[in-house]
Amino acid sequence: AQCWGHSSSGGKCHDGGNDDKYGYYYYSYEDHDYDFFGVTDVYSTWYAFMSLDKNSGKAQCWGDSRYGGRCDDMDFLGVTDVYS
């Protein structure tokens, strides 16, 4: 997958967490091999994205953590809709 835009707002969809110059933590996913196999839906907020495989409940989030860019501790099994 390819992502574009400012890295703190989801412009990078590969590994890593960083603190920006204002002290906010965000995931920009620089070195992580992001696996989009099986993704059924992609959702967005102003500053973050989420890919979801509704069949397995696996979700991957990136962008500004204040706006949904972090979901690694969440289980989405059984989720049928996401609203942002």
Side-chain angles (χ1 to χ4, degrees):
Q2 294 183 342
C3 301
W4 58 94
H6 193 279
S7 63
S8 66
S9 301
K12 291 183 180 178
C13 57
H14 37 136
D15 191 291
N18 298 295
D19 289 314
D20 68 12
K21 67 181 181 178
Y22 302 107
Y24 294 111
Y25 188 75
Y26 63 89
Y27 274 110
S28 60
Y29 288 90
E30 292 176 6
D31 299 319
H32 178 68
D33 288 328
Y34 229 130
D35 181 12
F36 287 97
F37 181 79
V39 168
T40 57
D41 296 88
V42 175
Y43 304 95
S44 65
T45 66
W46 277 100
Y47 302 105
F49 296 87
M50 172 182 150
S51 65
L52 175 64
D53 178 346
K54 288 184 180 179
N55 300 312
S56 70
K58 178 182 174 186
Q60 301 171 104
C61 301
W62 66 96
D64 192 316
S65 62
R66 298 170 298 165
Y67 296 93
R70 184 173 183 187
C71 64
D72 46 335
D73 295 333
M74 300 178 75
D75 180 13
F76 292 93
L77 189 59
V79 170
T80 58
D81 294 295
V82 174
Y83 299 93
S84 60

